[in-house]
Amino acid sequence: MKFRSTRNVTAQATTAPEAIIQGLAEDGGLFVPVAFPQPNYDLASLIQQPYQLIAKQVLRWFFNELSGLDVAVTKAYGSQWDTPTITPLTKQVAGNYYLELFHGPTLAFKDVALQALPQLMGLAKQQVHNQNETIILTATSGDTGTAALRGFQNVVGTQVVVFYPQDGISPIQKLQMLGQTGNNLHVVGIKGNFDQAQTRVKQIFNDPQVRQHLAQQKQQFSSANSMNIGRLIPQITYYFAAYGQLVHQGAIKVGDKITFSVPTGNFGDILAGYYAKKLGLPIHKLICASNVNHVLTDFFQTGTYDRQREFQVTNAPSMDILVSSNLERLLFDAYHQDAEAINKLMQQLQSQGYYQVTPQVHEWLSQTFAAGYANPDQVEAEIQRVYEQANYLIDPHTAVGSFVTHQYQTQTNDHHPCVILATASPYKFPETVLGAINSQAKNPSGLAAIEALAKFDSSSLTAGVKELFADQPHSQLTIAPTEMTNTVLNLV
């Protein structure tokens, strides 16, 4: 399996190990398969397997060049998860199911990939005899940072630098990031939003002077964002696992089509679902659910991507994003791998703040994707509705997906079984969840909010939630976005 950049018109190929190690292509594009896998497999047999075996198969389809995948998967999906199912399919509310992706060590779906990525990167470096120190440079809207810090904690030959918007994440997310211990971890707040952090990180990645400086010290950048193909591909697994659980529960038969609703900001999570469909999983629709920063909703409804709008800080902060990096990979498919067309779109987005796809591309997208959004009041109302109907707590991002699903089904009368991706534990955002179900009371924040929310929960606290009470946050470094380059060089 070879990989190429979405922006390289010569289609110059690289190996899987190099794509994983680099993270981001030198031309600023994202790595995609030169030829997408066309595996011949028995779906009924595959989805009956434990999560680990499904993961091994998915990874082999894309990274067959890497030796040691079996060991990597075993380490990624072991005792650090609080359920052997890894991503259990749980409560049914009005015919919809919730796929819980938050049973890893940092209570969010990013763990699924970021417990695997360090293993994959280790195999990749070993295979190509790369002895450089890897600098994991990442911008986060809340969850990627903690999961990257945890995944690469004390990994030899690796340093992690995470930038996050100081006023754009929840108190618990901040507690988690600042509470991670490890002699190779660096956490930095910026006086700005996620898009500013992510844009600057891409610029640092592609700065030739910075690259040269690192090379002289036998260092090189890589990414833990879903821009890294090694982080994106492991997420495909839970779409197959969810389908298998629906079959096991008798909700569908093998071959029946289902819908997935995905709360997403950077578009990596839902892109993994699109890749699952390309691999043959029977998916009817992928519902792209946004919060009030609904640049993606507008794109799928109109064909115009326009980031020229007010950035809003919401109660679903991990989705407070206006530049969705992984959409570029989808557009690469939509434009039949025309890298020149992708270059023009991305240059226009950078210089003018928007782009418009062709009517043919817009029609092609509408065959697979639907989209909607929820404002903060609707998020809280959805948390309350699900709790009252099913005695089930959902976090605000999951509530976005749940609300948009309900809205979509009402408008379209689509009765395909729907799996809503529950992307984070409600205990990562206890203030919002508690306020939604206990609106008449004066509610606490932080750890006190977790204790108060637990009184409304019929299940016991998981090990990951209990661990929050043991975290000892270290001091916070806060800088302006313009200081990010020098900060990276000083830290590493």
Side-chain angles (χ1 to χ4, degrees):
M1 176 64 67
K2 300 294 183 182
F3 294 84
R4 59 165 293 183
S5 169
T6 51
R7 302 186 193 181
N8 192 324
V9 295
T10 64
Q12 185 175 355
T14 190
T15 64
E18 290 295 346
I20 293 169
I21 293 168
Q22 284 184 235
L24 189 66
E26 290 187 6
D27 58 13
L30 305 183
F31 286 114
V32 292
V34 171
F36 200 85
Q38 300 292 324
N40 182 16
Y41 65 95
D42 180 62
L43 179 62
S45 298
L46 177 64
I47 60 176
Q48 290 176 5
Q49 304 298 317
Y51 190 94
Q52 292 82 352
L53 292 184
I54 300 175
K56 290 175 185 178
Q57 184 60 74
V58 169
L59 292 177
R60 286 192 191 107
W61 289 335
F62 290 87
F63 305 138
N64 58 339
E65 187 176 348
L66 285 178
S67 58
L69 284 177
D70 287 2
V71 174
V73 168
T74 300
K75 290 181 178 179
Y77 306 115
S79 60
Q80 70 271 47
W81 296 81
D82 64 36
T83 170
T85 310
I86 309 298
T87 59
L89 192 71
T90 184
K91 288 282 185 177
Q92 179 183 346
V93 182
N96 298 319
Y97 301 80
Y98 293 84
L99 183 68
E100 294 185 346
L101 303 179
F102 52 77
H103 288 274
T106 72
L107 310 176
F109 80 98
K110 308 293 176 74
D111 285 326
V112 177
L114 282 168
Q115 287 296 302
L117 179 60
Q119 306 299 328
L120 296 174
M121 193 168 291
L123 294 178
K125 291 179 69 175
Q126 183 179 9
Q127 191 149 320
V128 299
H129 307 291
N130 183 320
Q131 297 182 357
N132 288 344
E133 182 178 50
T134 302
I135 310 299
I136 303 294
L137 182 62
T138 293
T140 182
S141 56
D143 290 330
T144 289
T146 306
L149 293 164
R150 186 60 169 263
F152 285 96
Q153 184 180 45
N154 294 326
V155 172
V156 176
T158 305
Q159 291 195 61
V160 185
V161 183
V162 173
F163 291 102
Y164 71 94
Q166 65 165 348
D167 297 322
I169 62 177
S170 79
I172 297 300
Q173 286 176 311
K174 185 177 290 188
L175 172 67
Q176 282 187 306
M177 274 197 286
L178 296 179
Q180 294 298 316
T181 58
N183 55 22
N184 63 332
L185 308 181
H186 312 280
V187 184
V188 184
I190 69 157
K191 302 169 186 175
N193 59 47
F194 170 77
D195 284 334
Q196 291 172 303
Q198 179 169 254
T199 298
R200 194 66 180 169
V201 161
K202 288 181 179 180
Q203 291 171 348
I204 297 171
F205 253 98
N206 295 311
D207 187 322
Q209 291 183 322
V210 174
R211 285 179 178 272
Q212 183 179 8
H213 174 79
L214 293 181
Q216 290 172 350
Q217 302 184 90
K218 295 187 177 180
Q219 296 175 313
Q220 69 182 103
F221 282 134
S222 190
S223 175
N225 284 95
S226 52
M227 294 184 294
N228 191 318
I229 194 73
R231 206 201 97 172
L232 174 66
I233 297 306
Q235 296 177 251
I236 296 172
T237 302
Y238 49 72
Y239 286 91
F240 282 90
Y243 192 90
Q245 290 179 73
L246 278 178
V247 172
H248 180 72
Q249 293 178 17
I252 61 171
K253 295 179 181 178
V254 175
D256 290 348
K257 288 190 174 183
I258 68 172
T259 290
F260 284 93
S261 178
V262 188
T264 187
N266 216 13
F267 207 74
D269 203 6
I270 195 167
L271 182 72
Y274 166 73
Y275 279 1
K277 182 176 182 179
K278 287 189 70 174
L279 289 165
L281 191 65
I283 294 177
H284 171 61
K285 285 284 186 180
L286 291 163
I287 303 173
C288 178
S290 304
N291 65 13
V292 74
N293 292 294
H294 48 80
V295 63
L296 284 169
T297 302
D298 292 349
F299 170 70
F300 282 108
Q301 292 180 352
T302 69
T304 298
Y305 192 100
D306 189 352
R307 62 172 172 82
Q308 302 174 105
R309 61 187 72 202
E310 181 184 357
F311 182 93
Q312 299 191 50
V313 176
T314 75
N315 54 8
S318 296
M319 299 163 65
D320 291 344
I321 297 172
L322 293 179
V323 181
S324 305
S325 293
N326 270 287
L327 187 61
E328 183 172 337
R329 284 184 167 116
L330 178 64
L331 292 174
F332 186 73
D333 270 17
Y335 277 86
H336 305 291
Q337 300 190 339
D338 184 347
E340 185 174 354
I342 300 304
N343 264 313
K344 290 179 180 178
L345 292 176
M346 295 304 110
Q347 289 171 6
Q348 185 178 353
L349 180 64
Q350 183 173 357
S351 62
Q352 301 180 44
Y354 75 96
Y355 58 77
Q356 171 85 43
V357 299
T358 67
Q360 293 83 359
V361 166
H362 187 217
E363 171 60 27
W364 180 84
L365 293 169
S366 68
Q367 294 173 13
T368 297
F369 293 90
Y373 73 92
N375 65 41
D377 289 340
Q378 291 167 331
V379 167
E380 292 198 5
E382 185 67 7
I383 293 171
Q384 182 183 33
R385 182 185 76 87
V386 172
Y387 181 72
E388 290 179 350
Q389 287 190 10
N391 193 31
Y392 184 57
L393 296 174
I394 58 175
D395 91 291
H397 305 81
T398 306
V400 170
S402 187
F403 175 85
V404 171
T405 299
H406 188 68
Q407 184 183 58
Y408 163 80
Q409 291 171 332
T410 301
Q411 293 172 351
T412 64
N413 202 31
D414 185 346
H415 296 298
H416 287 85
C418 183
V419 174
I420 300 164
L421 270 56
T423 53
S425 164
Y427 290 101
K428 289 202 81 164
F429 307 90
E431 298 85 1
T432 300
V433 178
L434 193 58
I437 65 175
N438 195 32
S439 58
Q440 303 304 314
K442 184 178 180 180
N443 295 310
S445 64
L447 295 176
I450 290 179
E451 293 177 322
L453 183 59
K455 297 176 182 178
F456 293 87
D457 196 350
S458 57
S459 32
S460 57
L461 295 181
T462 64
V465 176
K466 292 177 181 177
E467 186 179 296
L468 295 171
F469 290 87
D471 286 342
Q472 297 295 322
H474 51 76
S475 59
Q476 178 181 1
L477 173 63
T478 305
I479 62 170
T482 53
E483 301 175 86
M484 286 172 60
T485 301
N486 286 337
T487 299
V488 170
L489 295 176
N490 290 334
L491 288 174
V492 305

